[in-house]
């Protein structure tokens, strides 16, 4: 029974550690399927975490915090879209600038709003147990006794898969990411599709940040995204830009992080710095293993210039 409880707890921890990665990676999927590289996921995660903390702290209502996180994430996505689509700024430079700006602004305002940057206890989003199903061994605790954001994620993965591969909107998104000239010729607005995709990317990534503050730890600290946006990018590539595969890749990285936390608890005389590196090492090995095998959208990273503006 102890082994079963340990295994169940490990699976639950793996799932919960994968949630912010999965929200960010699904957001990145929309952006990159449209042809816009989004390394700003880290900044979007951090912005969502901070915005949700501010909303929940000053109103006492977690749903206000959640809504504020989505709005701020959408604004950050809009900024990234404006820089990349309208101004045709290098997409990597734009993402890096957003990441650095998010780190600076959230740290600055946290010290002002949260008593010189000290961690403030926040109201949290409680789990909702589904009667009957929650009592099923292992599966019940894993799938039917979770918070609303995890249930939302369970719905988002199949819905995103259906949207991208079974609807005309998804066809337009993929066409813009693969052959924007052909999509433009067919009457699809490349700029509009990319704007909407990147804004959705920001909203979803910010939900991952809100999960960190309102469910995972119930407080905000500076830089709490801790590279999760970059691991989400690795999961996106590892999952070959498919929602189901991306979600499974996030679960793998979540399981790796849960494993290193448990290894630390066993006091095995392994330097903790090495254990903290473990999720990033796994991400790096996954990317190395996919070198030359994972094909991104053909127009990824390429700004689109309509024919009328060509010279």
């Amino acid at each position: 029974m102890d082994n079963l409880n340990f295994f169940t707890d490990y699976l639950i921890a793996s799932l919960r550690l994968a949630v912010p990665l999965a929200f960010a990676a699904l957001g990145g999927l929309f952006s990159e399927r449209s042809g816009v590289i989004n390394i700003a996921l880290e900044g979007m995660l951090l912005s969502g975490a901070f915005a949700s903390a501010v909303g929940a702290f000053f109103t006492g209502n977690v749903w206000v915090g959640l809504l504020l996180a989505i709005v701020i994430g959408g604004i950050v996505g809009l900024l990234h879209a404006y820089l990349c689509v309208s101004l045709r700024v290098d997409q990597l430079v734009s993402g890096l600038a957003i990441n650095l700006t998010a780190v600076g602004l959230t740290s600055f305002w946290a010290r002002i709003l949260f008593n010189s940057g000290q961690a403030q206890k926040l109201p949290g989003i409680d789990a909702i147990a589904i009667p009957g199903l929650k009592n099923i061994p292992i599966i019940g605790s894993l799938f039917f006794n979770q918070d609303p954001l995890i249930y939302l994620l369970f719905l988002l993965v199949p819905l995103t898969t259906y949207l991208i591969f079974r609807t005309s909107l998804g066809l337009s998104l993929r066409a813009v990411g693969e052959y924007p000239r052909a999509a433009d010729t067919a009457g699809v607005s490349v700029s509009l599709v990319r704007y909407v995709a990147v804004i959705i990317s920001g909203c979803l990534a910010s939900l991952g940040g809100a999960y960190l503050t309102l469910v995972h730890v119930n407080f905000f600290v500076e830089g709490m995204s801790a590279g999760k946006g970059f691991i989400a990018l690795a999961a996106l590539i590892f999952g070959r830009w498919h929602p189901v595969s991306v979600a499974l890749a996030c679960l793998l990285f979540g399981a790796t992080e849960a494993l290193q936390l448990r290894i630390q608890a066993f006091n095995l005389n392994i330097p903790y710095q090495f254990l903290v590196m473990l999720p990033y090492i796994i991400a790096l090995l996954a990317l190395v293993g996919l070198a030359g095998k994972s094909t991104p959208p053909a127009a990824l990273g390429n700004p689109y210039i309509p024919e009328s503006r060509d010279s």
Side-chain angles (χ1 to χ4, degrees):
M1 184 60 69
D2 289 340
N3 289 336
L4 180 60
N5 289 335
F6 177 84
F7 182 64
T8 302
D9 290 343
Y10 173 68
L11 290 179
I12 293 172
S14 299
L15 176 62
R16 290 178 177 172
L17 288 169
V19 170
L21 302 178
F23 274 117
L26 286 176
L29 187 145
F30 276 95
S31 178
E32 300 207 349
R33 276 285 183 177
S34 76
V36 179
I37 297 173
N38 195 356
I39 68 167
L41 292 176
E42 179 76 6
M44 292 172 175
L45 266 170
L46 189 56
S47 298
F50 177 72
S52 63
V54 170
F57 180 70
F58 287 101
T59 67
N61 189 318
V62 293
W63 304 111
V64 172
L66 199 62
L67 179 60
L68 185 59
I70 294 172
V71 170
I72 294 300
I75 291 173
V76 177
L78 178 63
L79 173 62
H80 188 48
Y82 176 70
L83 291 172
C84 298
V85 179
S86 296
L87 300 185
R88 302 191 189 97
V89 171
D90 184 283
Q91 294 171 11
L92 294 176
V93 173
S94 173
L96 181 61
I98 288 174
N99 288 340
L100 294 174
T101 302
V103 170
L105 286 180
T106 55
S107 296
F108 173 75
W109 284 107
R111 296 182 184 189
I112 292 177
L113 298 176
F114 297 142
N115 191 19
S116 299
Q118 295 179 13
Q120 299 287 340
K121 183 69 174 178
L122 300 172
I125 299 177
D126 297 325
I128 299 176
I130 300 178
L133 296 177
K134 69 174 183 178
N135 297 321
I136 302 174
I138 301 179
I139 294 177
S141 299
L142 191 60
F143 294 108
F144 304 115
N145 189 23
Q146 298 290 355
D147 60 87
L149 286 179
I150 291 185
Y151 292 136
L152 175 61
L153 182 61
F154 289 159
L155 290 174
L156 273 178
V157 174
L159 284 177
T160 301
T161 304
Y162 179 80
L163 175 67
I164 290 178
F165 297 105
R166 293 289 185 270
T167 68
S168 58
L169 292 175
L171 178 61
S172 297
L173 178 70
R174 288 183 287 125
V176 167
E178 295 285 350
Y179 310 108
R181 185 76 66 193
D184 191 13
T185 302
V188 176
S189 173
V190 174
S191 295
L192 178 61
V193 169
R194 289 186 171 179
Y195 259 91
V196 171
V198 180
I199 290 172
I200 291 174
S201 178
C203 292
L204 289 177
S206 70
L207 280 176
Y211 181 87
L212 288 174
T213 53
L214 300 181
V215 180
H216 198 57
V217 295
N218 294 124
F219 56 84
F220 176 85
V221 293
E222 298 174 19
M224 67 183 301
S225 54
K228 287 179 173 57
F230 297 107
I231 293 183
L233 273 176
L236 185 58
I237 298 171
F238 190 39
R240 302 188 180 190
W241 293 270
H242 190 287
V244 175
S245 300
V246 166
L248 291 175
C250 291
L251 187 59
L252 170 64
F253 295 137
T256 304
E257 188 169 356
L259 178 62
Q260 67 93 2
L261 291 173
R262 275 152 180 74
I263 292 175
Q264 287 190 55
F266 288 143
N267 293 321
L268 297 180
N269 227 7
I270 301 175
Y272 80 92
Q273 293 91 344
F274 175 77
L275 296 174
V276 170
M277 289 169 54
L278 191 57
Y280 304 95
I281 293 173
I282 296 298
L284 182 60
L285 291 176
L287 294 178
V288 170
L290 283 177
K293 300 177 183 178
S294 186
T295 305
L300 183 62
N302 300 324
Y304 176 67
I305 304 175
E307 286 186 352
S308 59
R309 298 182 185 178
D310 287 341
S311 57

